[in-house]
mmCIF file of all heavy atoms in Angstrom:
data_model
loop_
_atom_site.group_PDB
_atom_site.id
_atom_site.type_symbol
_atom_site.label_atom_id
_atom_site.label_comp_id
_atom_site.label_asym_id
_atom_site.label_seq_id
_atom_site.Cartn_x
_atom_site.Cartn_y
_atom_site.Cartn_z
ATOM 1 N N GLU A 63 22.016 3.972 -23.139
ATOM 2 C CA GLU A 63 21.777 2.570 -23.509
ATOM 3 C C GLU A 63 20.363 2.137 -23.131
ATOM 4 O O GLU A 63 19.675 1.474 -23.908
ATOM 5 C CB GLU A 63 22.794 1.654 -22.825
ATOM 6 C CG GLU A 63 24.220 1.860 -23.292
ATOM 7 C CD GLU A 63 25.226 1.085 -22.455
ATOM 8 O OE1 GLU A 63 25.064 1.011 -21.220
ATOM 9 O OE2 GLU A 63 26.172 0.551 -23.061
ATOM 10 N N LEU A 64 19.950 2.524 -21.939
ATOM 11 C CA LEU A 64 18.611 2.169 -21.495
ATOM 12 C C LEU A 64 17.552 2.824 -22.372
ATOM 13 O O LEU A 64 16.550 2.200 -22.728
ATOM 14 C CB LEU A 64 18.420 2.552 -20.021
ATOM 15 C CG LEU A 64 19.285 1.762 -19.033
ATOM 16 C CD1 LEU A 64 19.208 2.378 -17.647
ATOM 17 C CD2 LEU A 64 18.872 0.303 -19.005
ATOM 18 N N ALA A 65 17.810 4.067 -22.767
ATOM 19 C CA ALA A 65 16.869 4.767 -23.643
ATOM 20 C C ALA A 65 16.780 4.074 -24.995
ATOM 21 O O ALA A 65 15.693 3.951 -25.569
ATOM 22 C CB ALA A 65 17.292 6.223 -23.812
ATOM 23 N N ALA A 66 17.914 3.604 -25.516
ATOM 24 C CA ALA A 66 17.920 2.895 -26.796
ATOM 25 C C ALA A 66 17.115 1.597 -26.720
ATOM 26 O O ALA A 66 16.572 1.133 -27.726
ATOM 27 C CB ALA A 66 19.356 2.603 -27.233
ATOM 28 N N LEU A 67 17.020 1.038 -25.522
ATOM 29 C CA LEU A 67 16.243 -0.178 -25.321
ATOM 30 C C LEU A 67 14.757 0.125 -25.059
ATOM 31 O O LEU A 67 13.957 -0.792 -24.917
ATOM 32 C CB LEU A 67 16.810 -0.975 -24.135
ATOM 33 C CG LEU A 67 18.208 -1.536 -24.348
ATOM 34 C CD1 LEU A 67 18.754 -2.088 -23.040
ATOM 35 C CD2 LEU A 67 18.182 -2.609 -25.425
ATOM 36 N N GLY A 68 14.434 1.408 -24.998
ATOM 37 C CA GLY A 68 13.042 1.801 -24.755
ATOM 38 C C GLY A 68 12.718 2.074 -23.302
ATOM 39 O O GLY A 68 11.561 2.312 -22.963
ATOM 40 N N ALA A 69 13.711 2.043 -22.443
ATOM 41 C CA ALA A 69 13.494 2.299 -21.018
ATOM 42 C C ALA A 69 13.683 3.791 -20.759
ATOM 43 O O ALA A 69 14.799 4.296 -20.796
ATOM 44 C CB ALA A 69 14.459 1.475 -20.170
ATOM 45 N N GLU A 70 12.587 4.472 -20.522
ATOM 46 C CA GLU A 70 12.650 5.902 -20.219
ATOM 47 C C GLU A 70 13.110 6.100 -18.784
ATOM 48 O O GLU A 70 12.884 5.246 -17.938
ATOM 49 C CB GLU A 70 11.268 6.533 -20.380
ATOM 50 C CG GLU A 70 10.711 6.434 -21.770
ATOM 51 C CD GLU A 70 9.276 6.936 -21.838
ATOM 52 O OE1 GLU A 70 8.720 7.349 -20.793
ATOM 53 O OE2 GLU A 70 8.721 6.902 -22.932
ATOM 54 N N GLN A 71 13.732 7.246 -18.541
ATOM 55 C CA GLN A 71 14.102 7.548 -17.163
ATOM 56 C C GLN A 71 12.829 7.648 -16.337
ATOM 57 O O GLN A 71 11.830 8.222 -16.791
ATOM 58 C CB GLN A 71 14.861 8.868 -17.073
ATOM 59 C CG GLN A 71 16.289 8.762 -17.506
ATOM 60 C CD GLN A 71 17.062 10.011 -17.157
ATOM 61 O OE1 GLN A 71 16.536 11.113 -17.198
ATOM 62 N NE2 GLN A 71 18.310 9.834 -16.815
ATOM 63 N N PRO A 72 12.843 7.077 -15.136
ATOM 64 C CA PRO A 72 11.633 7.118 -14.308
ATOM 65 C C PRO A 72 11.299 8.540 -13.891
ATOM 66 O O PRO A 72 12.184 9.386 -13.766
ATOM 67 C CB PRO A 72 11.994 6.259 -13.102
ATOM 68 C CG PRO A 72 13.467 6.153 -13.101
ATOM 69 C CD PRO A 72 13.937 6.371 -14.500
ATOM 70 N N LEU A 73 10.013 8.762 -13.693
ATOM 71 C CA LEU A 73 9.574 10.087 -13.249
ATOM 72 C C LEU A 73 10.061 10.366 -11.847
ATOM 73 O O LEU A 73 10.481 11.460 -11.523
ATOM 74 C CB LEU A 73 8.047 10.176 -13.279
ATOM 75 C CG LEU A 73 7.417 10.006 -14.658
ATOM 76 C CD1 LEU A 73 5.895 10.016 -14.545
ATOM 77 C CD2 LEU A 73 7.880 11.102 -15.589
ATOM 78 N N ARG A 74 10.004 9.350 -11.011
ATOM 79 C CA ARG A 74 10.446 9.499 -9.626
ATOM 80 C C ARG A 74 11.513 8.463 -9.348
ATOM 81 O O ARG A 74 11.329 7.288 -9.602
ATOM 82 C CB ARG A 74 9.287 9.280 -8.662
ATOM 83 C CG ARG A 74 8.291 10.391 -8.701
ATOM 84 C CD ARG A 74 7.214 10.162 -7.678
ATOM 85 N NE ARG A 74 6.004 9.865 -8.443
ATOM 86 C CZ ARG A 74 5.006 9.154 -8.013
ATOM 87 N NH1 ARG A 74 5.034 8.634 -6.823
ATOM 88 N NH2 ARG A 74 3.961 8.941 -8.752
ATOM 89 N N ARG A 75 12.600 8.920 -8.836
ATOM 90 C CA ARG A 75 13.672 8.014 -8.429
ATOM 91 C C ARG A 75 13.303 7.393 -7.090
ATOM 92 O O ARG A 75 12.615 8.015 -6.284
ATOM 93 C CB ARG A 75 14.992 8.776 -8.274
ATOM 94 C CG ARG A 75 15.496 9.384 -9.549
ATOM 95 C CD ARG A 75 16.154 8.325 -10.344
ATOM 96 N NE ARG A 75 16.880 8.927 -11.451
ATOM 97 C CZ ARG A 75 17.566 8.204 -12.276
ATOM 98 N NH1 ARG A 75 17.652 6.916 -12.112
ATOM 99 N NH2 ARG A 75 18.185 8.763 -13.280
ATOM 100 N N PRO A 76 13.778 6.190 -6.838
ATOM 101 C CA PRO A 76 13.512 5.617 -5.518
ATOM 102 C C PRO A 76 14.190 6.456 -4.449
ATOM 103 O O PRO A 76 15.250 7.041 -4.675
ATOM 104 C CB PRO A 76 14.115 4.217 -5.601
ATOM 105 C CG PRO A 76 15.048 4.247 -6.753
ATOM 106 C CD PRO A 76 14.566 5.328 -7.685
ATOM 107 N N LYS A 77 13.569 6.524 -3.299
ATOM 108 C CA LYS A 77 14.139 7.310 -2.206
ATOM 109 C C LYS A 77 15.328 6.559 -1.634
ATOM 110 O O LYS A 77 15.239 5.390 -1.307
ATOM 111 C CB LYS A 77 13.092 7.552 -1.129
ATOM 112 C CG LYS A 77 11.991 8.448 -1.618
ATOM 113 C CD LYS A 77 10.979 8.710 -0.546
ATOM 114 C CE LYS A 77 9.902 9.617 -1.115
ATOM 115 N NZ LYS A 77 8.823 9.836 -0.204
ATOM 116 N N VAL A 78 16.437 7.266 -1.559
ATOM 117 C CA VAL A 78 17.670 6.682 -1.044
ATOM 118 C C VAL A 78 18.087 7.493 0.169
ATOM 119 O O VAL A 78 18.095 8.719 0.126
ATOM 120 C CB VAL A 78 18.785 6.728 -2.117
ATOM 121 C CG1 VAL A 78 20.066 6.159 -1.574
ATOM 122 C CG2 VAL A 78 18.343 5.981 -3.360
ATOM 123 N N ARG A 79 18.406 6.807 1.244
ATOM 124 C CA ARG A 79 18.891 7.503 2.437
ATOM 125 C C ARG A 79 20.353 7.827 2.257
ATOM 126 O O ARG A 79 21.174 6.942 2.053
ATOM 127 C CB ARG A 79 18.722 6.604 3.656
ATOM 128 C CG ARG A 79 17.620 7.074 4.547
ATOM 129 C CD ARG A 79 17.455 6.191 5.716
ATOM 130 N NE ARG A 79 18.457 6.482 6.734
ATOM 131 C CZ ARG A 79 18.525 5.832 7.874
ATOM 132 N NH1 ARG A 79 17.696 4.867 8.130
ATOM 133 N NH2 ARG A 79 19.424 6.146 8.760
ATOM 134 N N LEU A 80 20.662 9.077 2.283
ATOM 135 C CA LEU A 80 22.051 9.504 2.162
ATOM 136 C C LEU A 80 22.696 9.493 3.531
ATOM 137 O O LEU A 80 22.100 9.923 4.515
ATOM 138 C CB LEU A 80 22.118 10.909 1.555
ATOM 139 C CG LEU A 80 21.536 11.047 0.151
ATOM 140 C CD1 LEU A 80 21.581 12.505 -0.266
ATOM 141 C CD2 LEU A 80 22.295 10.193 -0.837
ATOM 142 N N ARG A 81 23.918 9.021 3.579
ATOM 143 C CA ARG A 81 24.657 9.053 4.844
ATOM 144 C C ARG A 81 25.395 10.364 4.945
ATOM 145 O O ARG A 81 25.984 10.834 3.986
ATOM 146 C CB ARG A 81 25.654 7.894 4.902
ATOM 147 C CG ARG A 81 24.978 6.570 5.015
ATOM 148 C CD ARG A 81 26.027 5.490 5.093
ATOM 149 N NE ARG A 81 25.382 4.222 5.222
ATOM 150 C CZ ARG A 81 25.643 3.369 6.185
ATOM 151 N NH1 ARG A 81 26.559 3.644 7.082
ATOM 152 N NH2 ARG A 81 25.015 2.233 6.255
ATOM 153 N N ARG A 82 25.357 10.920 6.111
ATOM 154 C CA ARG A 82 26.089 12.158 6.352
ATOM 155 C C ARG A 82 27.487 11.818 6.810
ATOM 156 O O ARG A 82 27.715 10.791 7.429
ATOM 157 C CB ARG A 82 25.378 12.971 7.423
ATOM 158 C CG ARG A 82 23.975 13.377 7.005
ATOM 159 C CD ARG A 82 23.205 13.795 8.180
ATOM 160 N NE ARG A 82 23.152 15.248 8.268
ATOM 161 C CZ ARG A 82 22.664 15.888 9.298
ATOM 162 N NH1 ARG A 82 22.218 15.236 10.338
ATOM 163 N NH2 ARG A 82 22.616 17.195 9.304
ATOM 164 N N ALA A 83 28.398 12.696 6.503
ATOM 165 C CA ALA A 83 29.773 12.495 6.945
ATOM 166 C C ALA A 83 29.804 12.443 8.465
ATOM 167 O O ALA A 83 29.178 13.250 9.139
ATOM 168 C CB ALA A 83 30.658 13.644 6.441
ATOM 169 N N GLY A 84 30.504 11.473 8.984
ATOM 170 C CA GLY A 84 30.629 11.357 10.433
ATOM 171 C C GLY A 84 29.423 10.730 11.100
ATOM 172 O O GLY A 84 29.280 10.836 12.310
#
Side-chain angles (χ1 to χ4, degrees):
E63 294 172 321
L64 294 170
L67 294 170
E70 299 174 359
Q71 283 191 325
L73 298 176
R74 289 183 249 153
R75 297 280 191 178
K77 293 181 180 175
V78 178
R79 252 179 79 180
L80 299 176
R81 291 181 179 234
R82 298 163 101 188

